[in-house]
Amino acid sequence: MITVLKFGGTSVGSPEALKRVASIIAGTEGDRIVVASAMSGVTNFLVSLVDNPSQDIEEAKEKFVNKHLSTASQLFEGEAMDAFMSEFNARMKVFEKAVLSDREDPFYRDGVLSQGERFSTLLLTHVLKGIGIDAKALTSEDAGIVAEGHPLNGSANLVKSEAGMTMNVRPLLSMGILPVITGYYGVNSDGKPLTFGRGGSDYAAAVVANAVNADMLEIWTDVDGFMSADPRIIPGAIKIDEMNFGEAAELAYFGAKVLHPRTIEPVRVKHIPLKVRNSFKPEEPGTLIHHLRKPRNDLLRSVAAKTDLSIITISSAEMAYRPAMVSKILDRIAAADTIIYSISTSLSTFAFLVSSNDVKNTLKQLNGIEGYDIERIDVKNNVALICAVGDNLLGKRGVSGDVFSAVKEANANVEMISEGASEVSLNFVVPMGQVIDVVKILHKKYIGERR
Ligand code: ADP
Ligand code: ASP
Ligand code: MG
């Protein structure tokens, strides 16, 4: 039995949190592999470092060192501290090299942003050693997590990562050693760190679980499980006991921050169940996410919202009769490497929903379409997509009517609808200013609140 346990930033964010996490690991039976995020606040600190090139590097380095050493000084002493320091110093050399390397390198930011994980995993490894567990800190390079794709937006190559980890991680398990691996990034074909996007440690842990054919992936965070809505918006949100991969994947993709959008696929393909649990309340069972589908009677189970989106609408007379034109448009969107969150077409318009960050690049590609008489391209910014997940939504009569009556109650306009694309979710676009109200009303009417 192999369990992969992933701990997020707040779960490794203080000496007390690290000790709590170590006892969770100690209490887990069978073979264990740990994946950890950077201590909370550290990745944001690194982002501000790369965003402000004029910042004093020595000062920043000192802050980074102090953050980790003040934690270490509350955890280790004597020989344990010496052992920690020798690995710490080696990793600081890598940190300096990354920060001082060529800023023009497209993977420069990945190299710096991925530094936090190298130090949280080191702290955790030594806390585990302190309680008698033979743990070993591994970077993603050491473990063999292989990434590909664009800077700050990598995806794992599952086949190569499995080969890497079969060689580098599995043998440790048979020697009784517990690997503690950095989350958030893999290594690209040039041997450089490539991050999986913010929050990417969940995905890294799913990749590790896939690679070692784990029996269970546990994502330990700071809430009781996957909830019926973001608890920061709906304080009375209800914890969901069980959900299936499809539901969790849709919600994560459409904005439920508790899981990185791509966490589900690497475990789903191997039927590895996943649990979301609270490292501050290990007695809570959390949420089990698996491949089974249990029919239920509730209309909605969970609502998520993806904000900062834009609708790009292309108008051209009778476009529907010119499929070659639609195909050309899609080619151009692909050339811009833009993710489309929703599409809607009519006789003479083609509208699609993208992240606001991608608008400029997408328009640049579209403006280059020659030989087609495009009449207009309009952009509507400041919209958000709401994803309402329920079991067999389409099979139930009147669901969309109920959902849209809630939207009306929030005095919001539906800007775009995509119904029928997924069996489990109903997605629609509203103005950013009303998204919180719509989520609140939907939740109150169709899910209820914890008392
Ligand atoms: P970690 O550092 O452990 O990865 P994150 O901050 O990335 O933690 O994710 C956990 C947070 O996600 C929670 O504290 C909560 O505010 C937020 N969240 C958003 N949507 C949901 C949801 N549907 N269920 C649970 N938490 C959610
Ligand atoms: N440390 C990274 C971040 O803050 C990855 C993660 O926490 O999952 O985005
Ligand atoms: Mg996270």
Side-chain angles (χ1 to χ4, degrees), residues 92-102 108:
M92 272 316 290
K93 292 216 170 73
V94 178
F95 173 94
E96 278 163 28
K97 204 170 151 211
V99 173
L100 297 174
S101 67
D102 178 12
Y108 173 80

Side-chain angles (χ1 to χ4, degrees), residues 350-392:
F350 180 91
F352 57 102
L353 183 69
V354 301
S355 160
S356 300
N357 288 333
D358 286 337
V359 169
K360 203 169 141 206
N361 208 9
T362 311
L363 289 181
K364 209 163 111 196
Q365 285 290 340
L366 288 172
N367 286 337
I369 296 188
E370 286 124 26
Y372 292 96
D373 38 348
I374 285 182
E375 284 158 20
R376 255 193 9 242
I377 301 183
D378 297 302
V379 179
K380 180 161 205 162
N381 290 316
N382 291 320
V383 296
L385 184 133
I386 293 188
C387 169
V389 157
D391 199 45
N392 190 21

Side-chain angles (χ1 to χ4, degrees), residues 213-229:
N213 291 310
D215 298 278
M216 173 66 78
L217 168 62
E218 294 182 353
I219 304 270
W220 290 85
T221 181
D222 57 3
V223 281
D224 287 351
F226 210 119
M227 321 277 286
S228 55

Side-chain angles (χ1 to χ4, degrees), residues 289-304:
I289 300 169
H290 54 171
H291 70 280
L292 298 178
R293 270 191 89 158
K294 294 193 181 157
R296 309 175 136 265
N297 284 324
D298 41 8
L299 180 58
L300 286 188
R301 307 198 62 206
S302 190
V303 188

